[in-house]
Amino acid sequence: MRNKSTHIFLLCIAACFLLFNIGLLFLVQMHKNELNNTKHKLEHLANIEFMFEASKETTITRFKYEQCYIGDSYIYLGSDNNKLIPMRSITGQPKLVLGLNQNMCPPCVEGVFADIKEVFPDFENNPNIICIADIEQRFKDNYYGKKVISFHEKDNFPLYKIETKPYFFILDNDLCAKLLFITDITNPELTKEYLKTIKERYVKI
């Protein structure tokens, strides 16, 4: 009888120990799930903060350069910097300008060319869509199908200072940057919407 009681006692202790371990594992798993949820929330908040800061920077830059006066500065086409022409000589019709810089990430540049070619299939042969780019001289004769326009004096084109994101604007005889749009990495679909709006508003482009 005593051995039986001892056996039952040991079984009870083992059962309690097992239940304790199960409970402990359950609490550990709950704590791990809480940590994962907290981590995901922090990552989500960090993404929101990044998107907000990126959007804020884009908006501030747009406010700074919208209606920026470019003036009748001397420019050249392609890599031939010996043949200078005044900017006004090419603005008889409103121009959609694509602005680029060699510091912009290649996927960003490729993406913006894909967007503009989708909305304007005649992009390469359309004289009313021009590309102003601060890039190496050797690329200027044929940059994604366009001859690049460059300023003889860089200081005459303030928008060269936009170095990280492709941008668009309308240029006409007023020689001001109108309807400036800076591509937004947090909302890339806006680029196509902007281009579609330009196409509807400026039917000759």
Side-chain angles (χ1 to χ4, degrees), residues 177-194:
K178 299 177 180 178
L179 298 175
L180 175 63
F181 173 79
I182 301 171
T183 56
D184 189 347
I185 57 175
T186 65
N187 196 345
E189 285 300 314
L190 283 177
T191 301
K192 290 182 184 177
E193 292 303 316
Y194 170 83

Side-chain angles (χ1 to χ4, degrees), residues 163-204:
E163 297 184 341
T164 58
K165 299 172 184 175
Y167 55 92
F168 295 93
F169 63 90
I170 294 295
L171 183 67
D172 57 22
N173 278 328
D174 290 340
L175 300 176
C176 293
K178 299 177 180 178
L179 298 175
L180 175 63
F181 173 79
I182 301 171
T183 56
D184 189 347
I185 57 175
T186 65
N187 196 345
E189 285 300 314
L190 283 177
T191 301
K192 290 182 184 177
E193 292 303 316
Y194 170 83
L195 293 172
K196 289 175 183 176
T197 300
I198 293 299
K199 189 172 186 177
E200 292 173 0
R201 187 176 298 186
Y202 294 89
V203 294
K204 292 185 178 180

Side-chain angles (χ1 to χ4, degrees), residues 27-180:
L27 290 174
V28 168
Q29 188 60 44
M30 283 186 61
H31 182 62
K32 187 183 289 185
N33 290 339
E34 288 178 2
L35 286 176
N36 285 334
N37 288 336
T38 302
K39 180 183 177 183
H40 291 322
K41 288 178 181 178
L42 289 174
E43 289 174 349
H44 181 63
L45 288 173
N47 286 335
I48 291 176
E49 183 179 5
F50 170 77
M51 292 171 66
F52 174 77
E53 289 299 325
S55 181
K56 177 182 175 183
E57 179 186 349
T58 298
T59 302
I60 290 173
T61 304
R62 185 167 58 82
F63 287 164
K64 182 177 180 179
Y65 292 107
E66 172 67 25
Q67 291 291 334
C68 176
Y69 184 66
I70 296 170
D72 196 20
S73 305
Y74 281 103
I75 59 173
Y76 61 92
L77 305 179
S79 61
D80 186 5
N81 55 6
N82 292 315
K83 186 178 180 181
L84 303 179
I85 59 174
M87 174 60 81
R88 192 179 295 279
S89 66
I90 67 168
T91 57
Q93 292 285 343
K95 298 288 188 285
L96 172 61
V97 180
L98 167 59
L100 298 168
N101 185 286
Q102 60 188 358
N103 295 323
M104 295 173 182
C105 69
C108 298
V109 174
E110 291 169 5
V112 84
F113 274 109
D115 288 339
I116 196 169
K117 287 179 180 180
E118 180 178 330
V119 179
F120 294 92
D122 64 341
F123 164 75
E124 293 184 8
N125 299 313
N126 189 331
N128 293 322
I129 301 177
I130 61 177
C131 180
I132 297 177
D134 187 9
I135 59 174
E136 291 182 38
Q137 205 75 358
R138 60 195 175 107
F139 297 126
K140 290 184 177 182
D141 284 322
N142 188 348
Y143 195 57
Y144 290 88
K146 280 287 186 183
K147 268 194 175 184
V148 168
I149 290 177
S150 303
F151 282 74
H152 181 56
E153 298 290 340
K154 279 191 175 183
D155 290 343
N156 290 336
F157 187 61
L159 279 78
Y160 273 146
K161 294 178 183 177
I162 304 176
E163 297 184 341
T164 58
K165 299 172 184 175
Y167 55 92
F168 295 93
F169 63 90
I170 294 295
L171 183 67
D172 57 22
N173 278 328
D174 290 340
L175 300 176
C176 293
K178 299 177 180 178
L179 298 175
L180 175 63

Side-chain angles (χ1 to χ4, degrees), residues 4-42:
K4 187 176 181 180
S5 298
T6 302
H7 184 66
I8 293 172
F9 177 71
L10 291 174
L11 285 174
C12 289
I13 291 176
C16 289
F17 183 71
L18 180 61
L19 289 173
F20 174 77
N21 282 335
I22 292 173
L24 186 61
L25 287 172
F26 178 72
L27 290 174
V28 168
Q29 188 60 44
M30 283 186 61
H31 182 62
K32 187 183 289 185
N33 290 339
E34 288 178 2
L35 286 176
N36 285 334
N37 288 336
T38 302
K39 180 183 177 183
H40 291 322
K41 288 178 181 178
L42 289 174

